[in-house]
Amino acid sequence: MSSHAPEAPVPEAPVPKAGTREWLGLAVLALPTLLISLDQSVLYLALPHLAEALEPTGAQTLWIMDIYGFLIAGFLITMGTLGDRIGRRKLLMIGAVAVGVTSVAAACATSAEALIVTRALLGIAAATLMPSTLALIGDLFRDPYQRGRAIAVWAGCFMGGTALGPVVGGVMLEYFWWGSVFLLGVPVTVLLLIAAPVLLPEHKNPRAGGIDLLSVVLSLVSILSVIHGLKELARHGLAPVPVAAIAVGAAVGAVLVSRQGRLADPLLDLRLFRVGAFTAALLILMVSMLGTGGGYLFVTGFVQMVEGYSPMEAGLWMVPAAVASIAAAQVAPVLAGRYALSTVIGASLLTGATGYLLLVLVGPVGGMPLLMTGFVITFIAVGTFGALGTNLVVGSVPPERGGSAAALSSISGDLGTALGIATLGSLGTAVYRDAIEVPDGIPASAADSAGGSMEGAITAARELPAGASDALLTAAGEAYTSGLNAVGATCAVITVISAAIAFTLLRGRRGATPSGDDPRERAGEPLSTP
C-alpha cells in the first residue's frame, strides 16, 4: 500500500474581474442597443409625415411599419449563430456599417416601394446587433455578478430607447423632414466603428463548422410565417389566411428542429435546451412578454384614442414606466444575490399582476392616474425579469454558444409580444364590439365603422356634426375602456402563471454575489452543456 497522501485538488483560477476598459466597452455596446429600440418606436410618429410625402397605399403602409421587425425576428437565430462562427465583434461592425448605409437610404427614399425595401434591409442589418451585443457582454464580463449588472444596463438601454422613441421622433420632426428619424443610426455607426476595435474583444467558436443554408431558409420561413400570422390575427381577427400562416410556420419549425438533430454543426443547437435554467428563463420571458405586448397595445391606445393625447404626448406619458423599468433592472441583480432567484422573479411578477389588476378599475373619464400607476407597477416587473431572465439565459451556456443563446432570448421575447398582441388584441376588440352602444341618430355607415373598432369610430366622428361626433366618441371610449379592463384582467392571470413557472422551475437557484460566486455551482448544475 502506498504511503503517499492523496493529492489535493488543484484550485480553479479565479474569474477575472472587469475593469475600466470592459465598462467602457459596455458603453459602446449600449449604443446599438438603444438604436434598435428607438428605430422600433420612432416610426409611429413619422408615419403621417411620410404618408403625405410618399402617398403609400394601405397595404404599403403596413409593410413599411412591419417589415423591419419581421426581418429582425427572422434573422436573429442565423445572425446569432453566424457571430459564434465568424466572430461577434466582426459581425457587429459589419452590421453597424450596414445599418448606417441602409439608414441613409431609408431617409432618402422617394417612393413607398423604395422605403419598404430599405426598411427590410435595415431589419436584416439590425438583426446582427442584438445577439452580438448580448454575447459580447458575456465575453467582457466573466464574473457572474458583474455580468448581471452589465446585462441590467443593457436591458435598461433597450427599455429606455423604446420609451424615448416617440419623444426623440417628435423633436426631430419639429425641425426636420420625416427622413431625419432614420439618420439616428449614422452617428451610432461612426462611434461604433471607432471604439469597437479598441474596447471590444473578438470571440468565436474555434470548433464551429459552416452555416447550413437550408436551416437558414427553414428558420426564416418558420419565424416569419408565425409572426405574420399572429399580427394578421390581431388586425383582422380569426380568418383562414393568418391561421394557415401560423400552421405553415409551425410545420416548417418542426422540420427545422428535426433537421438540427441530424447535423454535426446545427444552426440551432438543441442541446442548449437540456440546461434547465436556460429553458426555464426562455419560457418565463415568452409568457411574460405575452402579457406585456397585449397590455402595452391597449394602454397606448387608451392614452391616444380615448384621452386624446398626441403620439409625442403619449410618449411622454410612457416615460415614468420606462424609468421604473430601468431602475428595477439595476436593482434586480442586487436582490438576486441576497434572495433565491425564484423568489425575486416570482415576487416581481406577482407585483406586476397587481398593476394589471389596476387596469381593470380604469374608467373612461379621468382614468389616467390609475392607468399610469398600474402601468408603472407592471413595468417594475418587466425590468426585473428582463434583466434577470436575460442574464440567466446568457450565463447558463458556454461562452462559445453565447450568440445562439442571445438570439433565442430575443426570439422568445418577440414571439411572446407578437402572441400577446394577437390574442389580447383580438380579445379587447371582441369586448369593444360587444360593449359599444351607438347613440341614436348616427348614420348607418358611421355606426358600422364605429362598431368595428375605436379607430373606425374616430374616423367616422370626423364626418359628423359636433354634438353627434362627441356622443359617438363617448360611446366608443366607454367600449374601448371595457376592452382595456378585460385585457388587464387577462394579463394579470398570464403574469400569475409566469410567476408560478418561476417559483417552480427556478427553485433552489440564487443569483451571483459581488464575491463572484457562480449561481450554477450553488445549484449543482454543470457549467457547460453536453
Side-chain angles (χ1 to χ4, degrees):
M1 189 171 74
S2 173
S3 60
H4 293 291
E7 293 184 6
V10 179
E12 294 185 5
V15 177
K17 299 282 187 178
T20 302
R21 179 177 176 179
E22 285 77 16
W23 289 105
L24 288 174
L26 177 63
V28 173
L29 294 175
L31 293 173
T33 305
L34 192 63
L35 175 64
I36 293 171
S37 55
L38 277 171
D39 276 349
Q40 288 180 325
S41 60
V42 74
L43 189 61
Y44 288 98
L45 217 60
L47 190 60
H49 301 268
L50 71 86
E52 182 179 349
L54 304 182
E55 299 180 348
T57 65
Q60 288 174 331
T61 299
L62 292 176
W63 279 111
I64 289 170
M65 296 296 296
D66 289 343
I67 193 67
Y68 176 79
F70 277 2
L71 290 179
I72 285 182
F75 277 93
L76 275 173
I77 291 177
T78 300
M79 295 305 181
T81 304
L82 183 62
D84 289 342
R85 281 163 166 72
I86 71 169
R88 294 158 189 169
R89 186 181 68 186
K90 180 187 293 185
L91 182 64
L92 180 66
M93 295 180 68
I94 292 171
V97 172
V99 165
V101 172
T102 52
S103 295
V104 173
C108 299
T110 56
S111 68
E113 293 83 358
L115 184 56
I116 291 170
V117 171
T118 53
R119 285 277 292 171
L121 296 174
L122 183 58
I124 296 172
T128 66
L129 305 182
M130 191 69 110
S132 296
T133 55
L134 197 49
L136 281 167
I137 288 175
D139 297 332
L140 285 168
F141 299 91
R142 297 294 188 181
D143 175 75
Y145 180 77
Q146 289 186 321
R147 185 184 62 236
R149 299 303 302 268
I151 288 179
V153 172
W154 175 89
C157 289
F158 191 81
M159 298 162 193
T162 301
L164 290 174
V167 180
V168 173
V171 171
M172 297 191 72
L173 292 170
E174 187 74 23
Y175 299 101
F176 306 104
W177 91 112
W178 63 266
S180 64
V181 298
F182 294 113
L183 297 180
L184 293 169
V186 177
V188 170
T189 296
V190 173
L191 288 173
L192 191 61
L193 293 177
I194 293 172
V198 178
L199 297 174
L200 300 180
E202 183 58 285
H203 192 283
K204 60 183 177 180
N205 184 355
R207 299 183 299 275
I211 295 286
D212 180 54
L213 295 181
L214 179 56
S215 293
V216 172
V217 173
L218 290 173
S219 71
L220 280 173
V221 173
S222 175
I223 294 169
L224 292 180
S225 297
V226 170
I227 291 182
H228 177 66
L230 290 173
K231 282 183 174 285
E232 289 302 300
L233 279 179
R235 289 193 180 114
H236 307 298
L238 197 63
V241 173
V243 171
I246 294 172
V248 168
V252 174
V255 174
L256 171 66
V257 170
S258 176
R259 180 173 177 79
Q260 301 315 292
R262 301 192 300 269
L263 294 175
D265 293 296
L267 180 72
L268 176 61
D269 191 347
L270 300 179
R271 293 177 297 176
L272 294 177
F273 292 96
R274 297 180 189 174
V275 182
F278 177 85
T279 304
L282 290 182
L283 183 60
I284 294 167
L285 284 170
M286 186 173 70
V287 175
S288 301
M289 291 308 297
L290 193 156
T292 303
Y296 192 88
L297 173 71
F298 266 78
V299 168
T300 53
F302 182 92
V303 173
Q304 292 183 75
M305 294 187 291
V306 178
E307 293 290 336
Y309 289 103
S310 69
M312 184 175 177
E313 291 169 332
L316 290 172
W317 275 104
M318 299 299 110
V319 169
V323 171
S325 182
I326 293 169
Q330 309 316 306
V331 173
V334 179
L335 294 177
R338 296 180 180 178
Y339 307 101
L341 202 57
S342 59
T343 301
V344 177
I345 295 180
S348 73
L349 289 169
L350 290 179
T351 302
T354 64
Y356 283 123
L357 288 176
L358 291 181
L359 303 187
V360 178
L361 306 176
V362 171
V365 179
M368 283 296 289
L370 190 60
L371 178 81
M372 286 297 109
T373 301
F375 200 51
V376 167
I377 292 173
T378 62
F379 266 68
I380 292 174
V382 171
T384 302
F385 75 72
L388 295 181
T390 303
N391 184 39
L392 199 55
V393 170
V394 175
S396 297
V397 303
E400 63 269 16
R401 294 174 188 159
S404 298
L408 287 170
S409 174
S410 299
I411 280 287
S412 66
D414 288 344
L415 287 177
T417 300
L419 186 60
I421 291 172
T423 56
L424 297 178
S426 298
L427 169 66
T429 300
V431 171
Y432 170 91
R433 291 171 178 170
D434 184 64
I436 189 168
E437 297 179 359
V438 178
D440 295 334
I442 301 296
S445 60
D448 288 341
S449 296
S453 67
M454 184 70 194
E455 294 88 345
I458 292 172
T459 301
R462 295 191 184 115
E463 308 299 324
L464 299 175
S469 174
D470 292 342
L472 180 60
L473 289 177
T474 299
E478 291 174 351
Y480 189 89
T481 305
S482 297
L484 171 68
N485 300 152
V487 168
T490 307
C491 287
V493 173
I494 292 170
T495 308
V496 169
I497 292 172
S498 298
I501 295 172
F503 282 124
T504 303
L505 298 184
L506 298 180
R507 183 181 301 158
R509 293 189 60 88
R510 298 186 69 87
T513 64
S515 65
D517 294 337
D518 193 308
R520 290 172 291 173
E521 293 177 324
R522 281 182 261 158
E525 292 189 13
L527 298 185
S528 62
T529 56

